[in-house]
Amino acid sequence: MAGRRVATGGTLVLDSEGLSKLAVGDARVRAYLEVARSRGARVAVSAITLAEVLRGGARDALVHRVLTRVNRVPVTEEVARRAGELLGETGLSGHRCAIDAIVAATTLSLTRPAVLLTSDPDDMSRLVEDPGCPKERRIIVVHV
């Protein structure tokens, strides 16, 4: 499945669940990572994802090991503004949706096509949806 979704030169984005599952060796998420690497795709996480995943415990060592192989994208003012716009456009609200919106805005700013691995495909699909976007520039949202 991963092979059909991750495009050469595109981007694989992990939300907190994607990063967490990769850290514990989830086979499905690892398959996406391996395909992305073999196709020269960028693998990225939003810096805000770290706040959701890192807790200062022993499990953090696994996450830090994964982060050495993943691009961390900072939350800039531009990304934050776009996230707010996405919330306004979709009618979503609350702190959980704000974090999702930042991940979505980050994904929208990266090289496409992109695959976004998430535990919240419904909200993420709404946040990154662009009906007029050509197929080769779309963001594929995958539930992990």
Side-chain angles (χ1 to χ4, degrees):
M1 186 72 92
R4 290 182 286 174
R5 294 186 175 185
V6 179
T8 300
T11 307
L12 174 65
V13 181
L14 308 169
D15 80 346
S16 59
E17 188 70 12
L19 179 60
S20 294
K21 284 189 172 183
L22 183 59
V24 297
D26 180 87
R28 185 165 172 241
V29 176
R30 284 185 63 208
Y32 275 95
L33 177 70
E34 290 168 14
V35 169
R37 287 220 170 116
S38 72
R39 295 187 175 172
R42 180 180 187 189
V43 180
V45 297
S46 169
I48 201 158
T49 301
L50 304 181
E52 288 187 290
V53 176
L54 297 173
R55 292 290 178 256
R59 183 175 153 263
D60 285 3
L62 297 171
V63 175
H64 285 295
R65 189 184 76 217
V66 168
L67 288 172
T68 64
R69 305 179 323 221
V70 175
N71 294 291
R72 283 137 348 260
V73 182
V75 179
T76 63
E77 182 177 345
E78 180 180 296
V79 167
R81 287 178 185 273
R82 181 64 183 128
E85 292 167 0
L86 291 171
L87 290 171
E89 292 167 9
T90 60
L92 296 170
S93 64
H95 71 279
R96 184 185 57 80
C97 290
I99 291 172
D100 285 352
I102 291 172
V103 172
T106 298
T107 304
L108 288 164
S109 73
L110 299 173
T111 303
R112 295 194 216 165
V115 173
L116 172 57
L117 302 184
T118 181
S119 60
D120 190 3
D122 296 332
D123 285 349
M124 281 298 193
S125 292
R126 288 176 61 193
L127 289 163
V128 300
E129 184 178 275
D130 186 358
C133 185
K135 187 176 182 177
E136 63 277 2
R137 301 264 310 140
R138 289 189 187 142
I139 296 170
I140 300 168
V141 177
V142 177
H143 183 257
V144 292

